[in-house]
Amino acid sequence: MNIISVNARGSIISFWMLLIFTGIIIPVQTASAQKKKSKKEAAVPVKPKIVIADKGASLYRIVLPSSSTEYEKQAALLLQDYLLQISNTALPIITADKPGSPYEILLGQNDRLGERGISIDFNELEADGFVIKTDSMRLIIAGGNFKGTIYGVYTFLEKFLGCRMYSPKVKVVPKSDFIAFESIDIKEIPVIKFRDTHYSVTWHDEYSAWHKLDHDSKGGRPAWGSWCHTFNSLVPPELYFDAHPEYFALRDGKRLPTQLCLANPDVLNITIQNLRKQIAANPEAKYWSVSQNDNRLFCQCDKCRALDEKEGSPSGSIINFVNKVADQFPDLTISTLAYEYGRKAPLTIIPRKNVNIMLCSIEARRDIPVTEGQDEESRSLVEDFEGWGKIASDIIVWDYVIQFTNLISPFPNLHILQPNIRFFVKNGATAMFEQGNRDGGGEFAELRSYLLSKLMWNPEENVDTLMNDFLRGYYGAASVPIRKYIDEMRGALLASGKQLRIFGSPNEAAVSYLTPELIQRYKQLFDEAEKAVAADPEVLERVRTARLPLNFAIMEQAKKNFRGDNGVFVMSGGKWMVRPEIRSMVDPFVDLCIRTGISQVKEWSTTPEAYRSAMYRLFYLGKNEHLAVGKRLKLLSPDTLTINSERAKLLNDGIRGSHDNSYNWLSFAGKDLDVVIDLERPTMIQHIECAFYQRALWLSMFPVKVEFFVSDDGVKFEYAGSIENTMPIDQWDAFQRDFSADFKPREARYVRVIAHSMGITPGSHPGAGRPPYMHIDEIVVE
């Protein structure tokens, strides 16, 4: 007979016993324990007081309040369903206006509680808190006025019946003929009232309810009418900028549609009017955002500047403005960002009680907890969080938990999740938005989501216990080598003393936690992990998915190294050939990404298929020994103060860039490219080309036009061709494009390429007013 039994010592002991019963943990006896057992009789088990199920039979009923909420009804149905799955015992559901019995499971804010003299302070439980307790022969699961009872039922299933939900697709429901316990008495009230992981893997109704998350199955937040970066939606530049440029930011004497002029009374009135319209269209929402756009070009007119200087931060004009908006909506909460230039709290202005501060940690290091950094940026971040904690009554922390430039890359930050959440709570955070990967998958997406969900509910949970439980349940026999992989990578990062940032790359990590030697060790650990679960295709797929970040790192480092044992190309038979390990890695990598729902390799760009195309483009172009390789070149623009001679060699070193513009591309901002290459002797040529990279959201843009010239003497140049860009800048994906000219073969010694920059990003772009970056790859002459 399978038995689930909880003794009188409470949830912790029962929880660990259940892990043993369900096979998640195997008990081990020491030699001394075995000797003691041989000298004494086995302890007589305590007879359970409450028997919920026994071989399919039960005296118990699930009792709902006579006037039940929808969430209480849902709680009853899910408890009934799981008890049936576990024990094959069907418990009836009745309401409290039916005759009573000693054998009852009382759910929600139940009439029976008062009748039996059972006191529960529901005001203390607020929206999501709950109690799980026994009273005589009754079990009580009673929660706050929102989802508290549902959360209580899921906690009961997890802590006392051994159920788990590791991901929407991986759930553990142990089977037992006998469910019994002596007594329970626990109460859980979350200190973090709003909890969101923003991981698409958690956008699942039951997963969200099980793990007490405040988003729906599409990642939406029903309580929020608008979320962030809303200045443009409240005062749209396309409607107002041409006629009223004074509504917008003054920068260097020029009005730009980057941010609003918060000192302009007309801007305040328009904001209030348009917000009122938005609220009327969605009257159920409680939170509304009035917040800066996602750029740093805030208004510096005399009035805005004066207030910001007085308050010691641009947050002065922001909070002054938002307070005035909030005064018009006293029954709603107006949220605003404390982000980048507005992160520091104002000196004297206090946010209204109905103003929510959305405080962002985008600059934080991810190798150590926020409080442990001794560098100036880390100390400044701590001071700013402490500053807002002293003056704001409603703070949501927007934290960042993945590497956004490379969503699949190894990112060993699991050890800082708990201390950072504790720090945020200590400094007034009552809500958490942990930004993971909205694009599907990513490094340990299921594990990181699981840990974050548990820690946002209870920041004092034991992280090692949570992690080991998850790894055993999700990866089975592969859990040991995978835990070693996690621990050894973290240890290597900390031992290196290098920083970990959300906008890093596997190539930056090549001197810390992704050295060639460490990568060989990680490959060995994953080989062990795959071997351990080779007989279970489903778990093997999970292990191989966990290996994707390592393979991604290997490919990315190979592209930067380009040639040699750790590069893309190796010399074979006197020719440069694609290294077999890299060629054989691409298709399985991309196919598994697609199969497991990974939609982007980078934030906002590079689908797995685009990644495959970029790799095969690199294979095709190869180590190209064209006519201009290694030849002398002269930069006319940008000047040598911007681009030194070593960097300029990227233009004709024979090494091609790929989908990441951080290596093997020559990059600069706001200037034209004008370069002359000396072929060193008259040479027959008929083709000139160069590649450019665009990722417009990140201010990386194609030139508007590229012109090609040839010359015999390097003084007088003859036009050879030109090409204009046709790619708009409202396409957020990453693109590589060859700009080329073909012409009748002719003899020339000098080649000149001029690429014309956009100059300044136009007002329709989020980076309006800033100079875009130009990224140029190999200039090929044939």
Side-chain angles (χ1 to χ4, degrees):
M1 178 188 298
N2 295 319
I3 297 175
I4 292 181
S5 178
V6 179
N7 68 20
R9 298 187 65 182
S11 63
I12 301 300
I13 293 177
S14 64
F15 175 66
W16 285 108
M17 290 301 292
L18 285 167
L19 293 181
I20 294 170
F21 289 144
T22 56
I24 297 173
I25 292 179
I26 301 173
V28 178
Q29 284 190 332
T30 63
S32 59
Q34 291 173 342
K35 289 179 181 178
K36 290 180 181 178
K37 185 175 179 180
S38 66
K39 295 179 180 179
K40 298 181 180 180
E41 293 184 7
V44 178
V46 178
K47 183 179 181 181
K49 179 187 272 188
I50 298 176
V51 179
I52 296 293
D54 187 359
K55 297 181 180 179
S58 179
L59 298 173
Y60 278 80
R61 301 174 297 177
I62 299 170
V63 182
L64 279 167
S66 54
S67 297
S68 306
T69 68
E70 285 303 312
Y71 290 126
E72 288 170 335
K73 292 175 183 176
Q74 290 177 31
L77 289 172
L78 71 89
L79 179 61
Q80 180 189 56
D81 177 59
Y82 276 99
L83 290 175
L84 180 62
Q85 290 184 56
I86 293 168
S87 66
N88 200 31
T89 305
L91 271 62
I93 299 173
I94 66 169
T95 53
D97 53 3
K98 301 297 188 294
S101 162
Y103 306 103
E104 295 178 331
I105 301 176
L106 305 181
L107 294 186
Q109 300 186 19
N110 206 294
D111 317 42
R112 292 270 206 273
L113 298 175
E115 295 171 6
R116 309 301 179 196
I118 301 168
S119 176
I120 295 175
D121 186 348
F122 286 101
N123 290 328
E124 181 189 21
L125 299 180
E126 297 180 326
D128 293 340
F130 57 83
V131 297
I132 305 174
K133 63 184 298 182
T134 52
D135 181 79
S136 184
M137 302 300 292
R138 295 178 182 84
L139 171 65
I140 301 159
I141 305 175
N145 55 20
F146 186 46
K147 294 185 179 180
T149 300
I150 287 181
Y151 294 161
V153 167
Y154 277 122
T155 297
F156 174 73
L157 293 172
E158 185 164 296
K159 288 192 173 182
F160 299 104
L161 301 188
C163 298
R164 294 288 186 279
M165 192 172 197
Y166 296 116
S167 78
K169 296 181 180 179
V170 181
K171 185 161 58 173
V172 175
V173 181
K175 305 301 180 183
S176 173
D177 299 324
F178 187 73
I179 301 176
F181 41 83
E182 272 242 325
S183 65
I184 302 173
D185 189 2
I186 67 170
K187 176 168 61 179
E188 296 188 9
I189 304 171
V191 65
I192 299 173
K193 309 303 181 185
F194 172 88
R195 302 163 298 277
D196 187 351
T197 63
H198 203 58
Y199 251 118
S200 61
V201 71
T202 70
W203 297 349
H204 178 274
D205 286 335
E206 185 174 27
Y207 187 96
S208 297
W210 190 304
H211 294 286
K212 309 169 181 67
L213 298 172
D214 290 296
H215 56 236
D216 59 27
S217 60
K218 296 181 179 180
R221 295 161 287 273
W224 289 74
S226 54
W227 181 241
C228 67
H229 302 314
T230 57
F231 278 179
N232 276 0
S233 66
L234 293 167
V235 186
E238 62 270 20
L239 297 182
Y240 294 102
F241 183 69
D242 288 343
H244 294 282
E246 71 275 12
Y247 291 175
F248 298 90
L250 183 69
R251 301 289 299 192
D252 300 322
K254 183 178 179 180
R255 293 286 177 175
L256 297 173
T258 53
Q259 303 287 355
L260 298 178
C261 176
L262 301 178
N264 190 312
D266 291 338
V267 172
L268 176 63
N269 291 333
I270 294 169
T271 297
I272 292 170
Q273 291 169 12
N274 287 335
L275 181 58
R276 204 177 298 281
K277 292 176 184 177
Q278 293 178 12
I279 293 169
N282 186 8
E284 299 301 317
K286 178 184 177 182
Y287 294 86
W288 292 88
S289 175
V290 177
S291 59
Q292 67 199 63
N293 296 324
D294 198 2
N295 64 69
R296 300 177 181 89
L297 300 180
F298 56 92
C299 186
Q300 295 180 331
C301 73
D302 290 343
K303 290 184 179 179
C304 287
R305 186 194 298 272
L307 183 55
D308 292 344
E309 289 178 352
K310 176 186 175 184
E311 294 296 328
S313 168
S315 65
S317 55
I318 294 172
I319 300 302
N320 180 65
F321 182 85
V322 171
N323 277 348
K324 293 175 181 178
V325 176
D327 288 342
Q328 300 298 311
F329 304 96
D331 297 327
L332 299 173
T333 299
I334 306 302
S335 177
T336 196
L337 285 162
Y339 172 64
E340 291 190 335
Y341 68 84
R343 195 189 71 195
K344 183 180 179 182
L347 296 175
T348 65
I349 299 177
I350 305 298
R352 298 286 194 268
K353 292 294 183 183
N354 67 322
V355 167
N356 165 266
I357 302 301
M358 186 174 277
L359 182 52
C360 303
S361 68
I362 194 167
E363 301 88 354
R365 292 171 58 172
R366 308 293 158 173
D367 52 306
I368 56 176
V370 169
T371 55
E372 292 184 12
Q374 298 303 310
D375 55 290
E376 182 178 349
E377 181 58 58
S378 296
R379 292 196 299 269
S380 173
L381 186 72
V382 169
E383 290 172 2
D384 291 349
F385 272 72
E386 291 173 345
W388 285 108
K390 293 173 183 176
I391 66 171
S393 58
D394 187 353
I395 297 175
I396 178 172
V397 169
W398 185 321
D399 194 23
Y400 307 79
V401 296
I402 61 172
Q403 189 171 88
F404 291 91
T405 41
N406 296 282
L407 298 174
I408 307 179
S409 183
F411 193 65
N413 71 329
L414 298 178
H415 60 290
I416 67 153
L417 301 179
Q418 182 175 52
N420 281 357
I421 290 175
R422 286 173 171 172
F423 170 75
F424 300 145
V425 169
K426 180 182 177 182
N427 286 281
T430 56
M432 286 292 306
F433 177 75
E434 295 282 11
Q435 187 177 357
N437 185 10
R438 66 174 182 83
D439 290 314
E443 191 229 20
F444 287 125
E446 294 81 6
L447 171 60
R448 194 176 274 105
S449 299
Y450 187 84
L451 294 177
L452 287 168
S453 301
K454 297 295 186 185
L455 291 171
M456 285 192 290
W457 180 258
N458 178 10
E460 303 307 317
E461 286 273 18
N462 186 305
V463 176
D464 274 337
T465 300
L466 291 174
M467 189 183 301
N468 289 334
D469 179 19
F470 179 93
L471 295 177
R472 293 187 185 104
Y474 194 76
Y475 296 111
S479 63
V480 173
I482 289 179
R483 179 65 199 248
K484 288 181 180 178
Y485 168 79
I486 292 170
D487 291 344
E488 290 182 23
M489 184 174 287
R490 179 191 66 238
L493 169 65
L494 296 177
S496 74
K498 302 294 183 181
Q499 296 187 7
L500 183 68
R501 300 280 185 176
I502 63 173
F503 297 118
S505 77
N507 285 297
E508 288 182 9
V511 294
S512 57
Y513 60 92
L514 289 174
T515 66
E517 296 77 18
L518 286 169
I519 283 178
Q520 291 304 312
R521 168 60 176 162
Y522 302 151
K523 289 165 67 175
Q524 176 188 346
L525 288 172
F526 268 109
D527 288 345
E528 293 176 13
E530 290 189 28
K531 183 178 179 181
V533 295
D536 189 333
E538 187 174 338
V539 179
L540 179 60
E541 181 99 326
R542 294 177 210 155
V543 172
R544 287 177 172 166
T545 302
R547 190 171 188 158
L548 284 175
L550 177 60
N551 289 344
F552 177 77
I554 292 169
M555 290 187 289
E556 289 301 288
Q557 290 188 0
K559 286 189 290 186
K560 186 174 189 301
N561 296 328
F562 205 73
R563 53 181 176 256
D565 291 341
N566 294 315
V568 174
F569 298 97
V570 292
M571 185 65 73
S572 177
K575 295 182 179 180
W576 288 107
M577 305 292 290
V578 178
R579 187 156 62 97
E581 180 187 6
I582 298 301
R583 184 182 289 278
S584 65
M585 196 175 283
V586 175
D587 286 330
F589 173 84
V590 171
D591 293 345
L592 185 53
C593 284
I594 294 170
R595 195 161 63 244
T596 55
I598 294 172
S599 58
Q600 302 283 353
V601 175
K602 292 176 170 291
E603 186 184 28
W604 300 103
S605 73
T606 314
T607 65
E609 281 294 1
Y611 188 83
R612 188 191 332 246
S613 296
M615 292 296 293
Y616 273 91
R617 179 180 188 272
L618 187 64
F619 296 163
Y620 171 76
L621 293 173
K623 181 73 172 64
N624 195 338
E625 301 291 345
H626 56 84
L627 297 175
V629 170
K631 296 299 191 290
R632 292 191 300 269
L633 56 82
K634 180 179 181 181
L635 271 180
L636 304 178
S637 175
D639 58 36
T640 54
L641 295 177
T642 303
I643 305 292
N644 63 40
S645 58
E646 284 302 309
R647 285 182 61 203
K649 291 179 181 178
L650 289 169
L651 292 174
N652 64 336
D653 61 359
I655 297 176
R656 292 303 189 115
S658 188
H659 83 293
D660 189 335
N661 64 344
S662 64
Y663 52 89
N664 298 340
W665 294 87
L666 181 69
S667 305
F668 52 86
K671 302 287 185 181
D672 292 343
L673 171 73
D674 190 349
V675 60
V676 176
I677 299 176
D678 181 0
L679 300 180
E680 300 177 358
R681 60 183 176 82
T683 307
M684 292 297 296
I685 61 174
Q686 61 184 350
H687 175 84
I688 309 170
E689 73 175 52
C690 51
F692 293 84
Y693 177 95
Q694 176 165 301
R695 194 177 176 209
L697 182 62
W698 296 88
L699 286 178
S700 296
M701 300 180 188
F702 288 146
V704 295
K705 183 179 181 180
V706 181
E707 298 178 292
F708 303 94
F709 303 87
V710 295
S711 171
D712 296 324
D713 59 7
V715 178
K716 295 180 180 180
F717 283 87
E718 177 183 333
Y719 175 79
S722 67
I723 184 168
E724 294 188 1
N725 175 46
T726 58
M727 174 66 70
I729 62 171
D730 61 356
Q731 304 296 306
W732 295 156
D733 212 333
F735 303 94
Q736 299 173 73
R737 180 161 294 181
D738 295 318
F739 289 67
S740 63
D742 291 287
F743 44 89
K744 186 177 179 179
R746 63 151 292 173
E747 190 175 80
R749 175 172 173 173
Y750 298 91
V751 171
R752 185 176 185 181
V753 178
I754 302 176
H756 298 273
S757 169
M758 184 179 295
I760 295 295
T761 309
S764 59
H765 190 275
R770 298 164 67 183
Y773 281 86
M774 187 185 295
H775 306 281
I776 312 97
D777 188 15
E778 193 78 2
I779 297 177
V780 176
V781 179
E782 296 174 333

